[in-house]
Amino acid sequence: MKHYRLLIAWQLWPQIQALPPGLRRALYRVFDQLEEMPDAVSEFQFSDQSGRLLDGFILGQLAFHYWIDFSDRHVKVVAIGPADRARRD
Amino acid sequence: MSIEQIVTEAAAMPALERKQLIGRLLAIGRAQEDADFRHTLAERMDDGDPSHWISYDELKQRLPAGKVGE
């Protein structure tokens, strides 16, 4: 039985759909871990505008941002962005 | 302080502090380049509409991982 329910924001669907198969498989391996131990996956942390703590991990050239909702036992993937912002135009 | 010095000190940090450092460095770039990013994150975190979320099970059904070599 999974400890947390993993949910992905619908806005991220196109980005995930566009991932090459190899990267998608790697992403799903991380998602499997997120359902079991979301804290263990975290590679960085930061706060939203209201101070809530978000976690994130890097995969390839992408940074995945997620929020652990401990009360509902949900992990919500809320954003995907370039891992290296310096390369953004 | 040079970048090499920063990296050396970061490597010596406890893992949690290093994660927080990485997050804050990423946030520096984000705050300068995209002032709406944190607002967008907060909106999504507060979105309670179930139709705005895809479960991982549904994602795997729609986009199977496929096999190595595919």
Side-chain angles (χ1 to χ4, degrees), chain A residues 15-86:
Chain A
Q15 290 172 278
I16 295 176
Q17 198 174 20
L19 293 176
L23 196 55
R24 191 187 309 148
R25 278 193 296 275
L27 177 62
Y28 287 3
R29 285 195 290 272
V30 179
F31 279 178
D32 288 337
Q33 294 176 51
L34 270 183
E35 286 193 311
E36 295 292 337
M37 295 179 293
D39 284 351
V41 172
S42 174
E43 293 178 328
F44 63 89
Q45 292 180 323
F46 62 100
S47 301
D48 74 344
Q49 61 179 19
S50 62
R52 284 176 294 187
L53 198 62
L54 288 96
D55 288 87
F57 62 90
I58 306 291
L59 194 63
Q61 300 295 317
L62 299 173
F64 292 79
H65 304 81
Y66 64 94
W67 177 49
I68 305 171
D69 186 343
F70 291 102
S71 59
D72 288 342
R73 300 194 74 77
H74 289 157
V75 177
K76 294 181 175 177
V77 183
V78 292
I80 302 172
D84 181 358
R85 299 292 288 195

Side-chain angles (χ1 to χ4, degrees), chain A residues 5-13 16-17 21 24-25 28-29 31-32 35 39 42-49 52-55 58 63 65 67 76-79 82-83 85-86 88, chain B residues 16 18-24 26-27 29-30 33-34 37-48 51-60 62-70:
Chain A
R5 185 164 186 240
L6 180 61
L7 299 169
I8 298 100
W10 67 271
Q11 295 94 336
L12 307 183
W13 168 254
I16 295 176
Q17 198 174 20
R24 191 187 309 148
R25 278 193 296 275
Y28 287 3
R29 285 195 290 272
F31 279 178
D32 288 337
E35 286 193 311
D39 284 351
S42 174
E43 293 178 328
F44 63 89
Q45 292 180 323
F46 62 100
S47 301
D48 74 344
Q49 61 179 19
R52 284 176 294 187
L53 198 62
L54 288 96
D55 288 87
I58 306 291
H65 304 81
W67 177 49
K76 294 181 175 177
V77 183
V78 292
R85 299 292 288 195
R88 192 167 181 241
Chain B
L16 179 59
R18 191 163 52 246
K19 282 199 312 186
Q20 291 171 343
L21 172 64
I22 293 170
R24 294 187 70 174
L26 286 171
R30 215 160 270 124
E33 298 173 17
D34 188 356
F37 182 71
R38 286 173 187 247
H39 177 70
T40 298
L41 291 179
E43 279 191 332
R44 290 181 187 175
M45 291 161 65
D46 291 333
D47 190 344
S51 69
H52 292 174
W53 298 93
I54 303 169
S55 73
Y56 180 34
D57 288 338
E58 183 180 356
L59 178 65
K60 284 188 287 188
R62 290 194 190 185
L63 286 176
K67 297 179 182 178
V68 175
E70 271 190 71

